[in-house]
């Protein structure tokens, strides 16, 4: 059977690496793409000029298609968009979608566009504007999240749109891939697992922390100000907890809560301050236990998933 | 392939109906059991004497095994447990597990015991005490919930215990069942879908509300006091929101928040006050769109799941 995600993005395996600020640079993205998936540069708050450099660097590191993740609520978004339209990377994944009219602008340049959505209504609007695929991201994901989990969001979005759906959130291995396909997805996006790719530029202390994390490791901060973010629990997340109580009591502003995170993602991810920095991670961090090359991660997931799907097909017994 | 959940509970299909207070009485439980699944009486805060009557009623309505759901934080728990030990229903599912030593007490009476857990550590403790199976309940479920979603909790619990795992949370149809099995489950528990069973005694207005609900329908209340509960958004959930703000500001007690819910579940579920009552529901409410007999729900899920698993086994393409 042909896979529409492979066809659209011209990749060997329908596995995307989630765009992650301060984490997924050109090196990681190229390693994933060289492994047959779709690597994605996380633009985050990167100055537009640097983003252009990363895109050109990725082109040098891989001959395969790769993507850029843009986050529309980012202050740099307009300048980043200009660079993206000029450089025309093969693909863009679009987070925090506010204005779907940017989709046709990118499509005109031949860029494949996959918005990341957390609800059905926005998925429909993105499809109407020409999105090539929809990334349905469940609330178990890391970073900025919505409310609906992958188990429910993926079947709902798959029913609502005609373009193929890529499931994100809670997937770290072949079992999760088969589950996602059972729910209607035709591709998957993994972020957290690729943080532990060998080629990932995060500090070694972060990879160690990820590998040790279990099912109670993550927490959602800043829910009270309307921008919930999933991170690994540490001293910083405790600080959020205190300030959120103050906010609910009217003793501080939403801006003060948002400012708690300034520079903190970089402090954790690049400098290795796993205590005071912000380590965005999905709940699937509990399923990650090794550092491996990105290509090995992809090959392992494909093998696991194909074996698991075959096993389910022949052995699943729902009647005795 | 033999299915361990069918074997343990002596049922035709590894499908449990979640115990739901003021919702799953002997009539619904018996209808599910007669359909080949495991119907479960939700004991909730039911006086012990009434629970005994429900158990005896279920025995009259079905010759098949059924279960009782006990919630350990319930003030009536000790008396309910006495009744359960005396009546010895075929199965018990145990919610809000605090003290695992009640498990062997029930086992001695020949009762099959499946605790409902939201974390790995408690699953292990329940297995050590002789639990026959573990119900791993993701945070997309209705009513009292934990933090970890089905996509992550089910594989983690499946790895951690040797007894079979029943997945709960976010499952409303055959696709969800296949996903759950891919994640390592050998059975599923559905609550929300069975609220729309013909035999379910909830008020017609509740079934209507469930069928109209979409992906933004549910909300988690009382998170701030440590007992998060997922319900359908309405005037009552808005009230919780206001009082939770007061609580965070130190202007009311946790008890005042808890008291908001007194009598509200009954008011919605039985009296049909969908505006002011508490309608506990999982996110899967967005996937429920029909009222059907319980046996038809089970037959449909089995057929869908077997077809979907066969399709995945033969068609899942992860390489082009």
């Amino acid at each position: 059977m042909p896979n529409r995600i492979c066809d659209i993005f011209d990749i060997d395996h329908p596995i995307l690496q989630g765009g992650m600020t301060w984490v997924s640079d050109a090196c990681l993205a190229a390693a994933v793409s060289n492994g047959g998936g779709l690597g994605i540069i996380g633009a985050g708050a990167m100055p537009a000029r640097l983003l252009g450099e990363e895109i050109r660097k990725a082109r040098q590191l891989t001959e395969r298609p790769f993507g850029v993740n843009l986050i529309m609520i980012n202050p740099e978004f307009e300048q980043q968009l200009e660079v993206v339209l000029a450089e025309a990377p093969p693909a863009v994944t679009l987070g925090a979608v506010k204005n779907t009219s940017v989709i046709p602008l990118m499509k005109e340049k031949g860029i494949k566009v996959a918005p990341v959505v957390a609800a059905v209504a926005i998925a429909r609007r993105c499809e109407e504007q020409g999105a090539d695929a929809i990334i349905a991201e469940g609330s178990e994901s890391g970073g900025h999240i919505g409310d609906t989990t992958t188990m429910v969001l993926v079947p709902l979005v798959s029913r609502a749109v005609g373009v193929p759906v890529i499931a994100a959130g809670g997937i770290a291995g072949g079992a999760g891939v088969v589950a996602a396909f059972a729910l209607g997805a035709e591709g998957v996006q993994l972020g957290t697992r690729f943080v532990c790719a060998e080629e990932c530029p995060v500090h070694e202390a972060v990879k160690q922390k990820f590998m040790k994390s279990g099912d109670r490791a993550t927490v959602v901060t800043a829910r009270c100000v309307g921008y919930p973010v999933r991170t690994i629990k540490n001293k910083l997340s405790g600080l959020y907890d205190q300030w959120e109580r103050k906010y609910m009591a009217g003793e501080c502003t939403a801006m003060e809560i948002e400012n708690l995170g300034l520079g903190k993602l970089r402090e954790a991810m690049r400098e290795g301050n796993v205590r005071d920095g912000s380590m965005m991670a999905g709940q699937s961090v509990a399923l990650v236990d090794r550092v491996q090359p990105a290509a090995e991660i992809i090959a392992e997931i494909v093998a696991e998933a194909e074996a698991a799907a075959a096993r389910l097909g022949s052995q699943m017994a729902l009647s005795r």
Side-chain angles (χ1 to χ4, degrees), chain A:
Chain A
M1 287 290 294
N3 176 286
R4 290 198 286 171
I5 297 299
C6 288
D7 291 346
I8 289 167
F9 296 103
D10 188 25
I11 52 181
D12 290 341
H13 309 295
I15 298 174
L16 281 69
Q17 160 253 309
M20 297 174 283
T21 306
W22 287 113
V23 174
S24 60
D25 62 358
C27 293
L28 176 59
V32 170
S33 290
N34 285 331
L38 188 72
I40 292 172
I41 296 165
M46 205 182 270
R49 188 182 49 77
L50 277 183
L51 177 58
E53 285 174 21
E54 283 296 303
I55 294 172
R56 290 187 293 274
K57 189 172 171 190
R59 285 198 210 280
Q60 289 178 336
L61 296 171
T62 183
E63 295 181 342
R64 312 298 310 272
F66 64 92
V68 172
N69 174 244
L70 296 178
I71 303 169
M72 289 191 77
I73 51 169
N74 202 291
E76 306 285 324
F77 176 73
E78 288 300 330
Q79 295 90 312
Q80 290 177 338
L81 179 63
E82 264 180 49
V83 168
V84 161
L85 292 174
E87 292 286 344
V92 164
T93 63
L94 195 61
V97 181
K98 298 159 82 174
N99 174 0
T100 54
S101 66
V102 300
I103 296 173
L105 294 181
M106 292 188 276
K107 294 285 302 166
E108 279 167 24
K109 302 290 181 182
I111 301 168
K112 302 295 181 185
V113 182
V116 184
V117 308
V120 173
I122 183 72
R124 285 208 184 91
R125 279 167 45 211
C126 289
E127 181 179 41
E128 282 164 18
Q129 289 290 329
D132 295 282
I134 302 289
I135 303 172
E137 189 180 70
S139 56
E140 46 272 86
S141 299
H144 290 84
I145 57 172
D147 289 322
T148 307
T149 74
T150 299
M151 282 291 282
V152 176
L153 187 65
V154 171
L156 288 174
V157 173
S158 298
R159 288 179 192 182
V161 301
V163 295
V165 170
I166 295 157
I171 305 167
V177 174
V178 178
F181 275 61
L183 297 171
E186 293 172 58
V188 293
Q189 175 169 286
L190 287 74
T192 303
R193 174 123 186 223
F194 283 114
V195 173
C196 285
E198 256 178 40
E199 299 88 345
C200 179
V202 298
H203 194 281
E204 182 59 25
V206 174
K207 295 185 187 181
Q208 288 297 329
K209 186 82 179 174
F210 270 47
M211 289 188 285
K212 282 183 206 146
S213 292
D215 65 328
R216 314 295 291 264
T218 73
V219 68
V220 178
T221 59
R223 208 192 286 271
C224 66
V225 293
Y227 287 101
V229 171
R230 186 179 301 283
T231 66
I232 292 183
K233 278 180 208 164
N234 63 3
K235 200 172 165 192
L236 178 64
S237 69
L239 205 60
Y240 268 98
D241 202 42
Q242 288 169 35
W243 280 82
E244 284 173 59
R245 283 172 189 279
K246 285 192 194 181
Y247 175 78
M248 296 292 272
E251 291 165 10
C252 76
T253 63
M255 185 61 84
E256 283 177 280
I257 305 261
E258 283 169 32
N259 286 348
L260 287 176
L262 281 182
K264 293 296 179 184
L265 191 57
R266 178 188 178 141
E267 186 177 337
M269 293 305 192
R270 293 298 175 99
E271 294 159 24
N273 188 343
V274 298
R275 200 184 67 152
D276 305 300
S278 169
M279 271 174 298
M280 293 184 184
Q283 290 188 345
S284 68
V285 72
L287 296 163
V288 175
D289 52 16
R290 268 168 308 157
V291 170
Q292 297 165 280
E296 188 180 304
I297 292 174
I298 293 171
E300 188 177 292
I301 289 173
V302 169
E304 278 174 8
E306 288 181 343
R311 214 160 44 230
L312 265 187
S314 64
Q315 298 181 358
M316 189 166 134
L318 281 179
S319 304
R320 66 168 180 188

